[in-house]
Amino acid sequence: MTSRRSAFRSIVGNSEMHRRIIGLFATRGGIVGLNFASLLIVAALMEPTEFGEFVFLWSAAQLLSAFAGLGSVNYLMREGSARQGDPGRGVSRQEAVRIALVFPALMLVGCAAVLSAIALSFDDILVFANIGPIDILCVCAAAGALIALSHSATPLRLNEWQTSSMIVRDAGPQSIILLVVAADYVFDTLTPATVLLAFAIIGSLVATVAI
């Protein structure tokens, strides 16, 4: 009992830990506020019909990223932590690449093929009325970029750069979308699907730099 009380007192009295916790909460709150504000700005810059289509496609990309990711982000985080403690444990770099990128890419290719076939065969169904194979490919590409951004935050977390990790993983996607939509507002050349394609390209580059 005494040892537990001592441990509790050491935690409560640790001002450095207090600062880190407060900093993480402040960062999380700032990211939530930034994402909310960027969504409002995107809605203001797009026409109502375009924004509705964009939200549908963006939601589909997020759903596919969760499906194709197969929990690999948490798995590699756990394996990376184990490898830091003991180099003989965890997964190798080659295995990590396969788990983080190759397997999700294969899953997304399969999803794109199946959904494109459905869209072409049942184009009279409401959900596929205005969506073709090109739109589906853009959604799958955006889903791949979302997975890559999530994985790019893992090395930052392992190196205890929690703030940078949250910025890349949580604020990065919405910030890139805002950047693309703002540029399209000036040049007026993109559709909701090609906004996702532009996000996929920029997001992949950001993930590569972050890693």
Side-chain angles (χ1 to χ4, degrees), residues 40-207:
L40 292 180
I41 295 172
V42 168
L45 294 177
M46 283 184 163
E47 295 293 331
T49 54
E50 286 184 335
F51 182 68
E53 183 180 348
F54 164 76
V55 169
F56 177 79
L57 296 177
W58 181 237
S59 300
Q62 292 178 316
L63 181 64
L64 281 178
S65 70
F67 173 71
L70 298 172
S72 57
V73 174
N74 293 332
Y75 174 75
L76 289 179
M77 181 67 191
R78 185 175 68 247
E79 292 297 308
S81 298
R83 194 173 182 85
Q84 280 186 327
D86 180 2
R89 299 176 60 190
V91 298
S92 66
R93 185 180 296 273
Q94 291 78 11
E95 290 172 326
V97 170
R98 284 199 296 270
I99 294 170
L101 300 177
V102 177
F103 294 157
L106 293 176
M107 288 284 291
L108 289 172
V109 169
C111 289
V114 171
L115 291 174
S116 296
I118 294 174
L120 291 173
S121 301
F122 302 97
D123 57 353
D124 55 334
I125 298 177
L126 180 61
V127 71
F128 293 112
N130 298 314
I131 298 176
I134 299 299
D135 301 306
I136 293 172
L137 288 175
C138 292
V139 168
C140 290
L146 286 170
I147 294 172
L149 284 169
S150 295
H151 280 295
S152 69
T154 299
L156 299 175
R157 290 183 64 188
L158 291 174
N159 290 321
E160 299 185 354
W161 296 344
Q162 300 290 347
T163 300
S164 300
S165 171
M166 285 194 292
I167 290 173
V168 171
R169 184 189 65 232
D170 300 325
Q174 201 68 38
S175 299
I176 295 170
I177 286 292
L178 177 59
L179 175 66
V180 173
V181 173
D184 179 54
Y185 182 76
V186 176
F187 299 104
D188 194 23
T189 56
L190 301 178
T191 65
T194 51
V195 165
L196 292 190
L197 181 60
F199 163 80
I201 296 170
I202 298 173
S204 300
L205 292 174
V206 171

